[in-house]
Amino acid sequence: MHIGVIGAGIVGLASAYQLLRAGHDVTVIDAGRGPGLGTSFANGGQLSYGYVSPLAAPGVLSQLPSLLFSGTGPLRIKPSFDPDFWRWSIEFVRHCNVTANASSTLRLLALGLHSREVMLEFLSQESEAGTAFEYRLSGKLVVYRDAAKLAAAERSLELANGLGYPQRRVDAATCVTLEPALGKIAGELAGGIYTPGEGTGDCQMLCRALARIIGACTRGALMFERDVTGFDVRGNTVQAVRTRTGDIPVDACVVANGLAAGPLLREVGEPVSMYPLKGYSLTYRDAPPDARPQVSVTDADNKVVYASLGDHLRVAGIADLVGYDYRIAAHRIAALRTLSAGLFPSLNHASAPLEWTGMRPSTPHGRPILGRANRLGNLWLNVGHGGLGFTLSMGAARAIADAIDGKRPAVDLTGFARLAA
């Protein structure tokens, strides 16, 4: 089949790659000038397969007053008159309970661990791919200053360990042994959770590598600066993807363009519930050696992640539910810079970092929307990965490719059904 893939971020390109490997002809269509220029551009750089618990959790509701009226915390909510905001928020609140959170976490863990398997397979098949995006099997260390929060995190280890993915609690001294750069804050730490199977990499560089692989294949094509405006639908079948510069005939189509998928899907009666969760990052190019952690580090108290990408340090965090505001908020960037320098003082003398903000396409329950559309038999959805696009991309792509081919995916897609707005 000739399959159109809408979106050239990590999710779309991973989908195209898996479809090519399955023997299909694939055309990737994207409005941007090149691969990975949207939310994939400068994310946290962590492949966190064992850390996928959704934002919708029981404790969030008790924090609502501070989230609404404080502009400095790691999570901030700004109410909007946008009806989509209120629809999304109502569904989000409905999922802020123990049962829903546990259900979503188990499903996301299954998809995350499958994604890890598919990523390792990709690295073995594409011999130069790891080097191309600074991939490292770094392990991940989540550090806690609050002993009660560490104890709560330890209780959740059973989920990942039960699926055969080892995680363990470590004390403050072991945190520093695992990552000597943390020695400066050793006295503040209650301990941490260490997961040896996690990785790091530059998501945008992987997008470029995938685009090269797809473009070099005789069955693959990449179309950039092609703004998709809709679909040519006849009966219950998509005949072509419509763009401002002409139609592209397809036998099937995978929608994988994040937030931009919302208007397209609504137009053909396939609405999805997504809303932007704005995040920020800093990239310190040629960072001082003592500011490049050897393991992937997450500061749990401040919700900030640190990943070494070659000679660079990527710092990312903050979640702002503020609508479609693509501006870089100076005070949010300043907070990231202050936290980074507090952990790695040598950054005070480093060159100014690259500042970035991106809109994570988030569902209320925290699970991506995967599978066949309800009305259109040859339209497939791979959207709504939130902050886990890099982590889940390979597994979600393989699951969609298997489903298109009539195979039983390794992950049950009924757990990732569409939640209509």
Side-chain angles (χ1 to χ4, degrees):
M1 286 194 293
H2 175 222
I3 302 177
V5 176
I6 302 174
I10 187 59
V11 174
L13 291 166
S15 299
Y17 174 83
Q18 294 296 335
L19 289 165
L20 280 175
R21 287 198 59 82
H24 298 286
D25 296 337
V26 178
T27 299
V28 178
I29 311 154
D30 192 88
R33 294 177 289 104
L37 297 180
T39 306
S40 300
F41 184 73
N43 67 11
Q46 293 189 339
L47 290 161
S48 296
Y49 306 107
Y51 294 87
V52 292
S53 182
L55 180 62
V60 172
L61 296 183
S62 64
Q63 301 171 33
L64 275 179
S66 63
L67 300 179
L68 289 168
F69 299 111
S70 172
T72 58
L75 172 61
R76 182 170 65 101
I77 299 175
K78 180 181 178 182
S80 166
F81 291 110
D82 182 358
D84 287 344
F85 167 80
W86 291 107
R87 282 192 288 262
W88 188 96
S89 297
I90 290 168
E91 289 295 337
F92 177 83
V93 169
R94 286 181 54 199
H95 286 86
C96 287
N97 61 77
V98 172
T99 301
N101 182 267
S103 175
S104 290
T105 299
L106 279 170
R107 288 166 172 163
L108 287 165
L109 270 173
L111 180 57
L113 299 186
H114 178 52
S115 194
R116 183 178 186 272
E117 292 177 4
V118 180
M119 175 64 85
L120 293 176
E121 178 186 294
F122 165 76
L123 291 167
S124 68
Q125 292 170 341
E126 306 292 344
S127 58
E128 298 180 1
T131 303
F133 72 105
E134 302 288 2
Y135 172 80
R136 284 193 310 119
L137 182 62
S138 59
K140 177 168 177 168
L141 179 63
V142 183
V143 296
Y144 293 82
R145 296 170 178 82
D146 187 310
K149 290 180 180 178
L150 174 59
E154 184 180 19
R155 289 193 290 272
S156 71
L157 295 184
E158 296 177 7
L159 290 176
N161 286 330
L163 293 174
Y165 195 56
Q167 296 180 315
R168 70 177 191 270
R169 176 174 174 165
V170 295
D171 59 21
T174 305
C175 287
V176 176
T177 299
L178 290 166
E179 181 46 68
L182 296 174
K184 304 173 187 64
I185 63 167
E188 304 173 22
L189 299 180
I193 303 295
Y194 177 60
T195 310
E198 309 285 72
T200 54
D202 188 312
C203 184
Q204 204 267 334
M205 290 177 68
L206 177 56
C207 288
R208 295 204 304 261
L210 286 167
R212 286 194 296 271
I213 294 168
I214 294 164
C217 179
T218 56
R219 291 178 288 104
L222 299 154
M223 294 185 174
F224 294 110
E225 299 183 281
R226 299 290 290 268
D227 191 9
V228 175
T229 58
F231 304 98
D232 177 6
V233 177
R234 301 174 197 175
N236 66 344
T237 303
V238 173
Q239 300 290 324
V241 176
R242 285 183 168 156
T243 78
R244 296 194 188 283
T245 52
D247 289 0
I248 302 166
V250 295
D251 298 312
C253 181
V254 176
V255 178
N257 59 336
L259 289 169
L264 289 176
L265 293 170
R266 190 176 292 118
E267 182 183 311
V268 291
E270 299 282 357
V272 294
S273 184
M274 291 189 295
Y275 206 71
L277 197 60
K278 187 177 184 178
Y280 296 83
S281 78
L282 303 172
T283 302
Y284 290 88
R285 291 162 286 196
D286 299 316
D290 62 350
R292 292 184 225 151
Q294 294 307 298
V295 300
S296 166
V297 174
T298 295
D299 179 346
D301 300 273
N302 294 301
K303 304 292 190 295
V304 177
V305 302
Y306 301 86
S308 294
L309 306 175
D311 294 335
H312 302 345
L313 173 69
R314 177 69 50 77
V315 182
I318 301 174
D320 283 349
L321 200 67
V322 294
Y324 294 84
D325 182 353
Y326 291 85
R327 295 172 297 179
I328 294 178
H331 71 287
R332 298 305 243 169
I333 287 293
L336 278 185
R337 294 191 70 164
T338 298
L339 290 168
S340 304
L343 191 61
F344 304 113
S346 61
L347 293 177
N348 282 313
H349 310 292
S351 300
L354 170 69
E355 302 172 355
W356 179 82
T357 187
M359 297 293 200
R360 311 169 182 122
S362 302
T363 61
H365 45 53
R367 302 188 303 272
I369 302 164
L370 308 176
R372 192 196 301 268
N374 289 345
R375 293 180 56 253
L376 304 175
N378 65 340
L379 185 67
W380 296 81
L381 281 59
N382 191 359
V383 296
H385 298 72
L388 296 171
F390 190 22
T391 293
L392 300 180
S393 58
M394 284 293 182
R398 173 65 62 82
I400 291 294
D402 285 345
I404 288 174
D405 281 344
K407 299 177 183 177
R408 186 174 185 174
V411 177
D412 184 3
L413 293 186
T414 60
F416 298 91
R418 179 168 62 88
L419 179 63

